[in-house]
Amino acid sequence: MTPLLPIGLALSLGAPALPATTQAECVAPVMVQAVRPGDMQSDSRARRGDVSLPATAQAERAAPVTEQTERVAPAAAQAERAAPATAQAERAVDVQGDSQARRGDVLALLSLRCRQWAAAPENPWALAHGMVLDGRAFRTRDGQPAADTVIAGFLRRTPERLFFEPRTADGTPVEPHPALQVKTLLRSGYRLSHQFKASWGPVTVRDLVAQVQRDHRPALAASPEGAWALDALSLAHKPGDTFLDGTGTRVHVDAVMREALATLEAAQAELAEGMRAGRPEVPKRKQGIYAHPCGGLHYFQAVAGWARHARVRKAWRERLDTQVDVLLYRLDSEGRQYEAALASMPAAYRLPLLVQMLKFQGHLLETLGRYRDDTGWRPTPAQQRTVERARTALETTVRRLNAAGAFDGLPAIAAQQPQLALDLVGDTCHAAHGEALWRAPPLSAPSAPAPRR
């Protein structure tokens, strides 16, 4: 039986769509090489001790869905048997204290695994996800700056253009979404003038942004795959800027971003209607925003980030307020559907669903945290309570995954379900970043008010 059959059953009961692979979410298929067994071990027993989580039985009692009936998915069960004794001992430690202490353990686990799993120098997509968490400070396993490794090893050129391939010949992802690597460099804090050493010689971030400009087409703003390019353009420009695309057409950045906002509103219109009508949920059927990678949360980040500029915030305030409310509404709307799916789905296929929940909850917290820091948004008390519930939901999901052996058994998962293993790597990094943003104090002013030169 393929995963599609039980997933289809869950869908008939109102559960969210969960394809056998999550190519429609955030990543393209990869080879198992991306998560080799040697890449998954902890740095030391001391570091393992920093990420203890509750005993499996206690984690089960804390979960909203009855977990006593849960069995580990085949790959996770193998991972559990293969996990080092020290890693199994981690899960036998009961963490005492308040919710902040428990969340601290969750953040420590997510951050540690992200830094371990994403540090493979042969996997530029994973390196980019390490930079999501640590920015330009993130380094490869052999101690090199991750960005240097990505540029030196994977940037290509022809007489006409600079580019990253979507994936290498063996299937390792490089840039499955256009401009993902350039956007990552800009978000990590590299200035436009920063110079890297490519395989043929020096190249600057400005050179890479210029290629994004040349590759721009009018359909970009309305494309689900346009989120990363939109983000790169937003980060590299200020209101009033223009540039020439590859056809020689002058493009006004303000117009591009206005179209992108309208696209976001249209994509979330069904959710907005459900919110206004007080419906407990809007079914997730790959419609609207759900046709976007990662549920459209990267697209939201790209569009809303343009409001880091004061005049954009003033012009867009009411429209963005509505979109933020829709984003908060999605926590319960989608959460109910995930819990229904967990209750109805055969135990052997629960692990992919838990990873999907990690994806949603982690990206949601990251998106809200970034919006706060980019624009100076301050949640109302009710909104802040929703954020806290999102953090609690993420904590529960991490504990469920940990109880299933996912964080100690990635090599075994990769051997059977390489796409699922890759999802776990990327979503762990986004979840770590999302939780870290809400543990840190908010910025006193919007970030990145002007392009970094």
Side-chain angles (χ1 to χ4, degrees):
M1 178 184 293
T2 69
L4 289 176
L5 296 180
I7 289 166
L9 174 63
L11 280 171
S12 70
L13 300 174
L18 290 172
T21 59
T22 53
Q23 295 160 333
E25 292 296 328
C26 284
V27 293
V30 301
M31 306 301 290
V32 177
Q33 174 191 0
V35 281
R36 296 181 301 183
D39 297 345
M40 310 309 160
Q41 305 305 317
S42 300
D43 292 343
S44 66
R45 292 181 63 180
R47 292 187 70 186
R48 290 191 184 105
D50 291 338
V51 294
S52 301
L53 286 174
T56 299
Q58 296 197 9
E60 289 172 349
R61 289 196 297 271
V65 176
T66 302
E67 296 289 328
Q68 283 79 357
T69 60
E70 178 176 347
R71 296 197 307 274
V72 177
Q78 179 181 343
E80 183 75 15
R81 292 191 295 272
T86 52
Q88 294 184 24
E90 287 178 7
R91 294 192 299 279
V93 177
D94 184 15
V95 177
Q96 302 297 325
D98 59 16
S99 60
Q100 286 289 56
R102 292 194 303 271
R103 286 172 179 165
D105 294 317
V106 166
L107 177 58
L109 174 59
L110 291 170
S111 299
L112 178 59
R113 293 300 184 250
C114 171
R115 289 165 183 147
Q116 291 170 338
W117 296 342
E122 69 277 9
N123 190 324
W125 176 88
L127 292 175
H129 280 76
M131 293 170 68
V132 165
L133 177 60
D134 287 336
R136 60 185 297 170
F138 188 66
R139 291 181 174 266
T140 64
R141 190 171 298 111
D142 52 10
Q144 299 302 307
D148 290 0
T149 297
V150 170
I151 299 297
F154 299 95
L155 183 63
R156 303 288 182 258
R157 71 168 178 173
T158 66
E160 294 79 26
R161 63 192 303 267
L162 301 170
F163 65 99
F164 292 97
E165 296 169 325
R167 60 189 63 81
T168 65
D170 67 3
T172 301
V174 181
E175 192 171 75
H177 307 291
L180 179 150
Q181 294 291 353
V182 181
K183 169 261 182 184
T184 300
L185 295 175
L186 291 166
R187 281 299 300 180
S188 296
Y190 285 97
R191 297 178 180 274
L192 295 177
S193 58
H194 185 90
Q195 187 175 95
F196 291 101
K197 185 176 180 181
S199 60
W200 61 86
V203 62
T204 66
V205 176
R206 182 177 283 106
D207 296 331
L208 299 174
V209 169
Q211 186 62 62
V212 174
Q213 294 170 340
R214 288 191 292 273
D215 290 342
H216 176 81
R217 295 296 181 268
L220 171 72
S223 168
E225 287 295 323
W228 293 264
L230 284 171
D231 216 348
L233 291 175
S234 169
L235 289 162
H237 292 92
K238 62 182 185 297
D241 281 359
T242 67
F243 61 85
L244 295 179
D245 67 17
T247 68
T249 301
R250 183 158 297 281
V251 177
H252 295 262
V253 181
D254 288 312
V256 171
M257 300 310 297
R258 283 195 300 270
E259 183 180 354
L261 175 59
T263 298
L264 177 65
E265 291 171 327
Q268 296 208 122
E270 186 177 352
L271 282 158
E273 180 183 353
M275 177 185 70
R276 287 190 293 268
R279 292 199 291 271
E281 63 188 61
V282 171
K284 181 181 176 187
R285 304 182 306 273
K286 292 190 176 181
Q287 81 281 21
I289 200 69
Y290 296 125
H292 287 238
C294 294
L297 293 166
H298 286 288
Y299 197 89
F300 189 105
Q301 292 175 14
V303 174
W306 186 237
R308 68 176 56 87
H309 303 287
R311 80 186 210 190
V312 178
R313 286 198 301 279
K314 182 178 179 180
W316 288 11
R317 185 178 305 280
E318 291 184 6
R319 297 169 72 182
L320 283 180
D321 284 348
T322 298
Q323 295 310 304
V324 170
D325 285 341
V326 171
L327 202 58
L328 293 165
Y329 168 74
R330 286 177 62 176
L331 175 67
D332 291 330
S333 174
E334 293 176 43
R336 288 185 178 92
Q337 296 173 70
Y338 284 129
E339 294 296 345
L342 279 174
S344 62
M345 184 173 288
Y349 300 102
R350 292 168 66 93
L351 184 61
L353 181 56
L354 288 171
V355 174
Q356 187 83 347
M357 293 168 70
L358 180 74
K359 181 190 301 291
F360 168 62
Q361 293 156 359
H363 279 79
L364 179 70
L365 285 168
E366 179 183 63
T367 301
L368 291 167
R370 178 175 157 181
Y371 180 68
R372 178 198 63 187
D373 291 351
D374 279 352
T375 69
W377 171 62
R378 293 295 176 261
T380 66
Q383 290 173 330
Q384 184 64 43
R385 287 192 294 272
T386 302
V387 170
E388 293 306 313
R389 287 193 295 107
R391 295 177 69 192
T392 298
L394 175 63
E395 177 190 346
T396 298
T397 297
V398 170
R399 291 176 186 280
R400 285 168 160 172
L401 284 165
N402 193 65
F407 291 113
D408 295 320
L410 192 59
I413 297 171
Q416 294 188 29
Q417 301 181 69
Q419 181 61 46
L420 180 62
L422 189 66
D423 285 346
L424 184 58
V425 172
D427 295 335
T428 293
C429 291
H430 281 291
H433 186 220
E435 173 61 19
L437 284 172
W438 286 100
R439 284 178 61 84
L443 298 179
S444 58
S447 63
R452 291 179 287 272
R453 299 299 175 185

